[in-house]
Amino acid sequence: MRFSYKMVVIILLALMVTILIQCNSEPGKPAILTSPVTFTEADVTKGKILAAGYCQSCHKLPDPALLDKETWRSHVLPVMGLYLGIQPAALVNNMSRSPQDDLNYMPDSAMMDTVKWKQIVAYYTAKAPTHLPTPNRPLPLHQLPFFKIQPTAAEWYSTISTASYVKIDTSVSPHRLIVNDGISNRLTVLNDKVQKLKSYTLDGAIVDMQFQKNKAVFVTTIGRDLWANNFKNGNVKEITIDNNGDIKPQSQPLFAHLGRPVSVNIADFNGDGRMDYLIAQFGKMAGRLSWMENRGRDFKEHIIRQKPGCIKTVIDYNNKSKGPDIWTLFAQGDEGIFLYKNTGNGNFTEKQVLSFPPSYGSSSFELVDFNSDGFKDIIYTCGDNGDYSQILKPYHGLYIYLNDGKNNFTQKYFYPINGCYKAIARDFDGDGDLDIATISCFPAAATPWEAFIYFENKGDFKFQTYTLPLNTPFQKGLTMDAADIDDDGKTDLLLGNGFYNSDKNNHTTQPLFIVLKNITSPGAKVTKNK
């Protein structure tokens, strides 16, 4: 099937695939099982045992309660059957947007007989609930006591607004804003007063930028567009942005032919004095996390994990390690947060510190010492809902996991947010503790305020939640950054929007981005409710 440009845009913004990264599993027409499944209690019991053996060979064993009966029966199980070689390969033709080269990653023959497969189906359809529960949560106030929405100029309003990347660049003075339009692939530089300086169209959608002290900027381009695919047309290239905002890319990429890369980090991993590059290739059916050893005249790739779905990496300098450690979040399938401890000479040991089932749709994490005990905790979000199970999930949202000092983590806090995509923990109100800002790429239709929520820390893991005032033009939170825009000592927010208006008779537009200007008094102390 061929897709028009408009059709591509509709799907992109309806399902939102930015890093924005869309899951490997893509939505499509319901893949109904070819015939009704009848089963006995014995089938259900055997199916549970078989699921433990087969289903967790690729990812964490999913509990039937994670999805409702209809979603298991009509969407998820048929696709899983395809991956196990049970369903006919022709099923791919019934799944919109699934390119034929996906078949190259499917088994040539069935991995189990049909009797066992029907028993697995019996287990999940019998034990799944008819409906998932509705989360109980305190609703946020439609006001922002610590921020003022700075008006966005009319030129940034459009019926199609897809910000694939935003950045508050504090590497220069005065500070400036960087915004990339994921549809036009246009990178724009604005000054600290949110006035346009210059813009430049690159050969793909930017999803990450690393700013260096010498004004060099390493840009990660996920591919020619944001579409989930198996192509290897992403790259990492160096550009420069001068004081006037002029953008000049190098003629050749530093690394090319990458499978949907989402980030690059720069560090000396093997202690030889040269800066190496950590590249996360999210991919689709295939991907990997690897570091490129800088050998002076060329690079040598060292694969750390040969699996798709790496969506976020953090470099951590731990004085107990023999070089920088790597923390990374893998989404898609085998989801979890992994610690790669540097043992010297660029070698790493792996520890999976948290594991999640694939329906979680892991989307971001941060390492912060949230409770001030000297150990880095994890702020985690899940909510990528662009897979085969596009229903509201009560376990999507914001999580806080506390570190016991040995990198073992225990959940301390959860707030349900449909489609939660990113969280940033900072002391926004200047009272000495960490608050949290979140965005959602898949807010529920009945709760559009989930697109942005601010959590004011009241102490003892209690928060007062706020959201944007009513009628604020911000439909989906695709990306977000936090830093001091105007150098007044307060942390501001830059939000990247995702909006599409398909109604020809309705000319509603929304901005590509909005700025939340911090209006608190630096050093002000706010009394907490303990």
Side-chain angles (χ1 to χ4, degrees):
M1 181 181 292
R2 296 179 62 87
F3 293 90
S4 67
Y5 176 77
K6 178 181 284 188
M7 206 168 172
V8 170
V9 172
I10 291 172
I11 298 173
L12 279 173
L13 286 165
L15 307 176
M16 269 350 295
V17 276
T18 48
I19 163 49
L20 295 181
I21 308 304
Q22 185 191 43
C23 292
N24 167 34
S25 303
E26 296 178 350
K29 300 173 184 177
I32 304 297
L33 293 170
T34 54
S35 61
V37 177
T38 58
F39 53 82
T40 65
E41 284 299 322
D43 290 328
V44 174
T45 301
K46 291 178 182 178
K48 181 177 181 179
I49 297 172
L50 289 168
Y54 283 95
C55 298
Q56 65 182 357
S57 63
C58 296
H59 51 70
K60 184 174 182 178
L61 179 65
D63 190 297
L66 290 171
L67 300 171
D68 60 59
K69 290 182 185 295
E70 177 61 18
T71 301
W72 278 118
R73 187 184 72 86
S74 298
H75 297 273
V76 174
L77 288 171
V79 175
M80 291 304 99
L82 179 64
Y83 281 84
L84 292 170
I86 302 298
Q87 296 286 355
L91 183 61
V92 173
N93 295 325
N94 294 323
M95 295 183 293
S96 64
R97 298 172 47 237
S98 289
Q100 288 296 310
D101 65 345
D102 282 6
L103 291 176
N104 296 329
Y105 299 90
M106 305 299 177
D108 295 328
S109 59
M111 298 174 64
M112 69 175 72
D113 60 48
T114 55
V115 173
K116 291 180 179 179
W117 171 241
K118 289 181 178 180
Q119 289 170 340
I120 290 178
V121 172
Y123 168 58
Y124 279 100
T125 54
K127 295 299 183 181
T130 303
H131 302 286
L132 295 186
T134 301
N136 182 21
R137 59 186 173 181
L139 300 183
L141 302 176
H142 282 275
Q143 56 180 282
L144 292 177
F146 307 111
F147 296 94
K148 178 181 179 181
I149 301 176
Q150 189 160 333
T152 305
E155 67 177 302
W156 300 111
Y157 277 74
S158 174
T159 56
I160 303 173
S161 296
T162 306
S164 65
Y165 181 78
V166 298
K167 176 71 175 180
I168 302 172
D169 178 16
T170 59
S171 68
V172 295
S173 185
H175 302 164
R176 57 194 179 190
L177 307 182
I178 310 291
V179 178
N180 191 77
D181 186 325
I183 298 296
S184 67
N185 296 334
R186 195 160 187 82
L187 181 67
T188 300
V189 182
L190 305 98
N191 64 18
D192 59 344
K193 297 178 176 57
V194 200
Q195 298 167 331
K196 179 180 175 180
L197 296 176
K198 296 290 176 64
S199 63
Y200 188 92
T201 300
L202 295 172
D203 58 357
I206 293 174
V207 292
D208 182 59
M209 300 176 73
Q210 290 290 329
F211 293 78
Q212 306 300 299
K213 293 181 179 179
N214 62 356
K215 296 187 179 180
V217 184
F218 290 92
V219 172
T220 301
T221 300
I222 195 171
R224 295 190 179 96
D225 54 43
L226 297 171
W227 190 276
N229 56 63
N230 296 312
F231 302 137
K232 296 185 182 299
N233 52 24
N235 61 59
V236 174
K237 64 176 57 176
E238 181 181 344
I239 68 173
T240 57
I241 306 177
D242 66 19
N243 292 336
N244 296 320
D246 280 316
I247 301 168
K248 295 181 180 180
Q250 296 292 325
S251 58
Q252 296 296 325
L254 185 62
F255 303 104
H257 309 298
L258 303 176
R260 301 184 71 227
V262 296
S263 67
V264 62
N265 293 84
I266 304 171
D268 180 6
F269 292 110
N270 58 355
D272 64 356
R274 299 189 185 100
M275 300 308 288
D276 308 303
Y277 297 83
L278 178 71
I279 299 178
Q281 297 183 64
F282 188 93
K284 183 174 183 274
M285 303 298 290
R288 63 180 177 268
L289 174 68
S290 59
W291 69 279
M292 303 292 188
E293 179 186 358
N294 186 346
R295 301 195 295 189
R297 294 184 178 182
D298 61 5
F299 295 91
K300 179 181 179 181
E301 183 178 19
H302 300 268
I303 297 176
I304 298 174
R305 191 169 193 250
Q306 186 77 53
K307 284 194 176 183
C310 185
I311 196 169
K312 175 73 181 288
T313 56
V314 173
I315 303 299
D316 184 30
Y317 291 89
N318 186 336
N319 58 15
K320 295 182 180 179
S321 296
K322 296 182 179 180
D325 296 332
I326 301 168
W327 294 76
T328 184
L329 170 63
F330 275 80
Q332 180 174 329
D334 188 14
E335 301 196 8
I337 295 177
F338 296 79
L339 167 60
Y340 294 95
K341 197 167 188 61
N342 198 320
T343 59
N345 299 317
N347 297 309
F348 297 91
T349 59
E350 179 186 272
K351 177 181 180 180
Q352 184 170 8
V353 299
L354 291 173
S355 178
F356 311 104
S359 62
Y360 266 49
S362 298
S363 50
S364 77
F365 82 105
E366 275 201 332
L367 285 178
V368 294
D369 183 3
F370 200 85
N371 57 355
S372 301
D373 65 353
F375 305 111
K376 292 182 179 179
D377 308 305
I378 290 177
I379 309 296
Y380 164 78
T381 66
C382 60
D384 188 338
N385 218 15
D387 59 11
Y388 290 110
S389 58
Q390 294 175 28
I391 59 174
L392 298 181
K393 302 178 177 74
Y395 44 84
H396 278 178
L398 168 69
Y399 292 78
I400 299 176
Y401 292 92
L402 297 185
N403 191 337
D404 68 353
K406 298 179 181 179
N407 290 327
N408 301 309
F409 294 85
T410 303
Q411 180 183 322
K412 181 64 178 180
Y413 178 79
F414 170 65
Y415 184 92
I417 304 173
N418 291 302
C420 193
Y421 227 53
K422 187 174 183 178
I424 295 178
R426 301 287 189 275
D427 182 10
F428 290 104
D429 57 12
D431 65 353
D433 58 21
L434 292 175
D435 312 295
I436 303 174
T438 67
I439 54 173
S440 169
C441 180
F442 300 89
T447 52
W449 48 262
E450 291 175 308
F452 173 81
I453 304 176
Y454 173 76
F455 292 74
E456 181 196 359
N457 192 338
K458 291 292 189 179
D460 196 26
F461 293 92
K462 295 181 175 62
F463 299 88
Q464 174 61 59
T465 52
Y466 300 93
T467 187
L468 298 169
L470 292 172
N471 301 318
T472 300
F474 187 72
Q475 186 179 70
K476 295 178 184 292
L478 303 186
T479 182
M480 169 175 60
D481 193 30
D484 185 356
I485 294 175
D486 51 5
D487 206 17
D488 64 354
K490 295 174 285 186
T491 302
D492 309 302
L493 283 164
L494 175 60
L495 309 182
N497 194 14
F499 173 75
Y500 181 75
N501 180 8
S502 61
D503 187 350
K504 295 181 179 179
N505 299 318
N506 184 333
H507 302 291
T508 301
T509 61
Q510 285 197 8
L512 185 64
F513 64 91
I514 63 174
V515 172
L516 302 184
K517 182 69 182 66
N518 194 322
I519 57 174
T520 60
S521 299
K525 299 298 180 182
V526 179
T527 302
K528 297 296 182 185
N529 298 321
K530 298 293 185 180

